[in-house]
Amino acid sequence: MRKIKNPWTDKPGYDCFGCCPDNPLGVSMEFFEDGDDIVCFWRPQPHYQGWIDTLHGGIQATLIDECASWVVFRKLQTTGVTSHLDVKYRKSIMTTEPQITIRARLREMRRNVAFITVTIENSNGELCTEGEATYFTATPDKAREMGFPGCETVGDELLF
């Protein structure tokens, strides 16, 4: 498992709700590459609850959407936009969980449309939420024109 370098951190105006480490209102996700998967380990906080001690479904959808976008950045080396997101809530996730795991993988690529499968597991490894994200991707030339510098790992060392 290798940590993925955030290619946006030095970009003026960068304040993504999902992955900006400096957004005080955001979820500050960090990503790792694990074979074909992109993985995020995230700690729920009480201020992200819907019902008491229960992680809000919209936050879960955000976590799924953001992790899927990093599949596009790292695995496809381009940018894209979400065109469809389908979320299935299987089991409640408590905001008291010490850590949850979000895992995404490219399922299929059709021309410039990426179909990405995402899961969220609680700290016991139980499947809680499933997502299918569809991304419209930019050509590599268009991505560079839009300021995408590429997405690399931080060194070659394996973590964990």
Side-chain angles (χ1 to χ4, degrees):
M1 192 170 307
R2 293 176 170 90
K3 184 170 176 32
I4 300 172
K5 181 181 177 193
N6 187 328
W8 311 111
T9 53
D10 296 326
K11 192 134 183 90
Y14 167 64
D15 199 29
C16 177
F17 181 79
C19 65
C20 181
D22 300 321
N23 183 332
L25 302 175
V27 292
S28 302
M29 297 171 76
E30 292 184 316
F31 300 92
F32 299 85
E33 184 174 47
D34 184 20
D36 291 336
D37 295 346
I38 300 300
V39 180
C40 174
F41 304 102
W42 190 76
R43 290 178 177 82
Q45 302 293 314
H47 52 272
Y48 294 126
Q49 70 180 334
W51 181 243
I52 298 167
D53 291 336
T54 305
L55 188 60
H56 193 285
I59 295 296
Q60 293 179 57
T62 297
L63 298 173
I64 286 171
D65 186 33
E66 187 69 18
C67 198
S69 72
W70 281 73
V71 169
V72 173
F73 301 153
R74 175 66 187 147
K75 296 301 187 179
L76 303 178
Q77 289 295 313
T78 190
T79 61
V81 293
T82 310
S83 62
H84 183 82
L85 185 64
D86 183 34
V87 180
K88 293 184 175 115
Y89 302 96
R90 305 286 187 198
K91 179 180 175 73
S92 294
I93 299 173
M94 308 312 291
T95 56
T96 55
E97 286 283 337
Q99 178 176 279
I100 62 174
T101 302
I102 306 102
R103 183 174 292 270
R105 175 182 286 212
L106 180 66
R107 179 176 55 80
E108 181 181 356
M109 191 75 192
R110 285 192 223 148
R111 299 185 62 172
N112 62 334
V113 179
F115 298 89
I116 301 163
T117 302
V118 187
T119 59
I120 302 178
E121 294 180 351
N122 64 19
S123 59
N124 294 324
E126 298 169 313
L127 177 65
C128 297
T129 312
E130 295 176 289
E132 288 287 332
T134 305
Y135 271 76
F136 179 81
T137 64
T139 65
D141 288 341
K142 182 66 174 172
R144 277 190 299 281
E145 180 182 307
M146 293 167 41
F148 179 67
C151 186
E152 303 304 324
T153 57
V154 178
D156 290 331
E157 69 279 357
L158 291 175
L159 306 173
F160 301 98

